[in-house]
Amino acid sequence: MTIQTIGVLGSGTMGAGIAQCAALGGFEVTMIDRSADVVTRALDGTVEQWTRAVTKGRLAADDVANACRRLKGDADAEALASADLVIEAIFEDFDVKRAEFERLSSIVAPTAILATNTSSFRVDDLARFVRRPERFLGLHFFVPAQVNRLLEVVRGRATDTGTISAALALAQRLGKEALSCRDSYGFAVNRFFVPCANEAVRLVDEGASPERVDAISRATFGAQLGVLSVMNLSKARICLNAARTLSRLGPFYVPADGLIRMGEADLAWTLGNAPPADTAADAVIADRLTASVFLPVLEAIDEGVAEPAAFDLGAQHGLRWRRSPCAMMDEQGPAKVESSIMGLPSRPSGPLPRSLSRVGSLIR
């Protein structure tokens, strides 16, 4: 099918960002939230952002005027009845999402596609609550959705090829890099980013300064922002929810005490100037951060979540890392990668991922 009209359920940071992206991309967009006041604030905030972008020369005035005409809001989900695609972008609470998909299934047309923007829940687990699971998939946008170029396209067991084709065409029209992956907790990118952020918090719990850990993570991955800075942007509570979901995969993924504390209190990290370098201590931090990325990537490759190049695509476009996981592993070689993984205090004893044998030629 050809998607022309899009509904976005949720007008928070992510929902508003997705709506902005879609309206600028030429789609007719309806953004829904719990009250007219909430929706109005989101629409007003969007117009303010677009106005600033025009002033700074980042957007053309005509493009913004046209996007404003295409974007509207409503507090009644019935307004989504004629949408070709509805994207759920509400808080990461499984029961709330389940209830919303049960409601949406009774509203949208039989030909409509339903999508979840969940960052960690399995598509298949949510698909049980929609009437037509063949027309259901994951469309995971990254913060800020109106700017970040990555879009994970997640196929559930029941998702049909027509739905995937329509989603890939949507990504192209929105100017996104589509990362196709199989359904799994955390999909491709959060499967390794959340454990990396979790390991960063473990290091802080053990006495490392947040500023130093953030600076080393930025240098290690060639990132614009360190992992704790990213957590501040996307919120610690969101990272905590994702870590709790991923913890079903094993002890390595269980949230650190500090992440629980920060997430449950909805706090942000205070990040001032990093303390002076300590060569030995900094090397340990860098090694543990890379190992906390390498292990989940290799496990996900074992599970067939995505091909190695897809994880690197996600790191480059979703996280803006210049140094990506599989390329880094190929560069280091299997012996060094194995040594780093074995040195992770949080890794339980047991066999290493089978795909460790592929290191050195993962993407070459």
Side-chain angles (χ1 to χ4, degrees):
M1 67 175 294
T2 300
I3 296 170
Q4 297 294 342
T5 58
I6 295 176
V8 179
L9 182 66
S11 65
T13 300
M14 183 58 77
I18 294 170
Q20 288 180 40
C21 180
L24 284 169
F27 296 93
E28 298 293 327
V29 183
T30 301
M31 184 166 53
I32 301 292
D33 215 309
R34 62 186 180 275
S35 74
D37 288 344
V38 170
V39 174
T40 298
R41 283 196 297 272
L43 291 173
D44 289 345
T46 293
V47 173
E48 289 177 9
Q49 289 184 41
W50 282 344
T51 300
R52 287 196 300 270
V54 170
T55 301
K56 294 178 181 180
R58 295 174 181 168
L59 290 175
D62 287 347
D63 290 342
V64 166
N66 290 330
C68 286
R69 284 191 288 270
R70 287 190 289 263
L71 177 61
K72 60 182 182 291
D74 206 301
D76 187 354
E78 293 290 339
L80 302 176
S82 61
D84 298 322
L85 165 69
V86 176
I87 304 169
E88 167 272 312
I90 60 177
F91 183 64
E92 285 288 277
D93 182 304
F94 186 87
D95 290 336
V96 175
K97 289 179 186 288
R98 176 191 67 190
E100 290 296 343
F101 279 118
E102 288 176 332
R103 181 168 70 127
L104 287 171
S105 289
S106 67
I107 293 173
V108 301
T111 55
I113 294 173
L114 290 178
T116 176
N117 183 60
T118 181
S119 59
S120 58
F121 293 133
R122 290 197 312 178
V123 168
D124 286 337
D125 291 340
L126 289 167
R128 294 186 290 120
F129 304 100
V130 301
R131 290 184 181 177
R132 288 168 286 275
E134 69 278 6
R135 304 188 73 76
F136 181 67
L137 80 164
L139 289 177
H140 180 212
F141 291 77
F142 288 75
V143 175
Q146 63 271 37
V147 175
N148 196 299
R149 290 186 59 201
L150 190 70
L151 176 60
E152 284 184 313
V153 178
V154 187
R155 183 172 196 159
R157 283 194 299 266
T159 311
D160 65 25
T161 55
T163 298
I164 294 296
S165 296
L168 293 175
L170 170 73
Q172 184 175 31
R173 187 168 167 185
L174 294 178
K176 302 291 188 184
E177 290 282 351
L179 190 166
S180 298
C181 61
R182 187 177 65 80
D183 188 27
S184 177
Y185 293 121
F187 313 133
V189 177
N190 276 338
R191 177 62 177 268
F192 68 83
F193 177 74
V194 171
C196 182
N198 198 31
E199 191 67 20
V201 178
R202 285 196 188 102
L203 287 160
V204 174
D205 286 348
E206 294 168 15
S209 80
E211 293 89 350
R212 196 80 206 136
V213 171
D214 199 59
I216 292 170
S217 69
R218 188 170 62 248
T220 299
F221 301 114
Q224 294 182 0
L225 295 174
V227 292
L228 298 181
S229 293
V230 173
M231 196 187 302
N232 281 350
L233 182 65
S234 60
K235 305 299 181 185
R237 60 185 171 83
I238 301 298
C239 188
L240 173 60
N241 287 333
R244 282 174 167 161
T245 299
L246 288 173
S247 68
R248 303 172 196 186
L249 297 169
F252 166 69
Y253 297 91
V254 171
D257 291 341
L259 182 56
I260 295 172
R261 174 177 58 82
M262 297 291 287
E264 289 185 345
D266 199 17
L267 298 175
W269 297 98
T270 300
L271 301 171
N273 295 324
D278 180 332
T279 303
D282 291 355
V284 170
I285 292 172
D287 200 45
R288 281 178 56 175
L289 291 175
T290 54
S292 70
V293 169
F294 294 165
L295 176 59
V297 167
L298 292 174
E299 289 181 343
I301 292 172
D302 280 359
E303 297 162 19
V305 173
E307 290 300 311
F311 292 97
D312 282 12
L313 176 74
Q316 291 159 5
H317 292 292
L319 303 176
R320 300 181 184 179
W321 289 2
R322 292 191 301 276
R323 305 190 68 219
S324 46
C326 293
M328 289 178 70
M329 284 192 278
D330 282 345
E331 180 184 330
Q332 292 188 14
K336 177 64 170 67
V337 170
E338 179 177 350
S339 175
S340 294
I341 292 174
M342 293 294 288
L344 275 173
S346 56
R347 191 191 81 85
S349 60
L352 292 169
R354 298 184 307 277
S355 53
L356 180 63
S357 64
R358 295 175 59 185
V359 170
S361 58
L362 286 167
I363 58 172
R364 294 177 183 172

